[in-house]
Amino acid sequence: MLFNHTHTLLEVTKKLERYCAYQERCHKEVVSKLKEMCMIPEAIDQIVAHLILENYLNEERFAKSFARGKFTIKKWGRNRIINELKLRNISNYIIQAALQEIDGKDYARTLDTLAKKKAKQLTGKSPQEKRRKLANYLLYRGWENHLVYDKIEYLLKEHRP
């Protein structure tokens, strides 16, 4: 038998405070969580406002943390980070601020490391197939077209006899 538990506004607010304190969240995630809990729109607005006022919820802090994490841990490029933040309804202004968290030198070094590592894995393939597979890999991870193709040309020149 399934019991449909109803929550008081205070209970849900405390749960969401813990939910947001555990890790940075965006507004879309919080609203989605509240809808899962079958909260009415007025209650959702009230809880989200409370979380913002108490600084549990901050879109800019979330976006900066997201950008830093996805770049350093998953080695995503700017395009992938931008697209993922847009999916979470983050404003362009905040997205641009978040991208400032990525150091330019680290960005170039990470692309270089990632491209060299993947190129080494692509042994025994024709140069065209290597180029295509390497480009697809880097583009999927969100690296900019011009950086990807410049890096591939550089790597191919480096390995020519």
Side-chain angles (χ1 to χ4, degrees):
M1 184 183 268
L2 205 65
F3 291 100
N4 196 0
H5 181 23
T6 57
H7 305 285
T8 67
L9 194 59
L10 186 61
E11 286 174 343
V12 174
T13 302
K14 292 297 176 199
K15 277 186 182 185
L16 269 289
E17 283 176 356
R18 286 190 302 276
Y19 179 70
C20 292
Y22 178 72
Q23 92 180 35
E24 292 294 340
R25 309 282 180 180
C26 67
H27 292 196
K28 186 176 180 181
E29 289 172 321
V30 170
V31 169
S32 175
K33 183 79 167 170
L34 288 165
K35 285 181 180 176
E36 279 176 27
M37 299 171 91
C38 301
M39 299 303 290
I40 60 172
E42 292 82 14
I44 291 173
D45 292 343
Q46 189 176 344
I47 293 168
V48 169
H50 167 78
L51 294 171
I52 292 168
L53 282 172
E54 296 297 320
N55 207 20
Y56 284 100
L57 196 55
N58 182 321
E59 293 250 287
E60 187 170 356
R61 194 175 60 212
F62 164 79
K64 286 180 176 183
S65 172
F66 183 90
R68 274 191 315 270
K70 296 304 181 189
F71 170 68
T72 54
I73 296 166
K74 292 204 172 189
K75 311 291 187 234
W76 284 2
R78 288 187 184 106
N79 289 344
R80 179 96 183 253
I81 292 168
I82 290 168
N83 288 337
E84 292 292 327
L85 287 171
K86 282 183 179 177
L87 284 175
R88 289 164 174 79
N89 300 330
I90 307 296
S91 73
N92 287 330
Y93 174 78
I94 292 177
I95 290 172
Q96 292 311 309
L99 293 177
Q100 298 303 311
E101 294 289 300
I102 301 171
D103 178 63
K105 289 178 184 174
D106 286 343
Y107 195 73
R109 196 176 14 238
T110 300
L111 174 60
D112 187 56
T113 305
L114 209 55
K116 285 178 179 176
K117 183 178 176 185
K118 186 64 177 178
K120 282 181 186 173
Q121 293 172 353
L122 298 172
T123 56
K125 302 197 183 313
S126 70
Q128 293 83 11
E129 190 177 358
K130 251 186 179 180
R131 179 180 284 128
R132 182 181 53 77
K133 285 190 179 254
L134 185 55
N136 287 345
Y137 173 77
L138 294 170
L139 292 171
Y140 174 77
R141 292 181 86 100
W143 296 87
E144 294 90 327
N145 288 351
H146 67 282
L147 295 176
V148 167
Y149 292 113
D150 289 350
K151 181 55 67 182
I152 290 171
E153 286 309 309
Y154 174 77
L155 288 174
L156 290 176
K157 283 180 188 173
E158 198 176 77
H159 289 79
R160 282 193 191 129

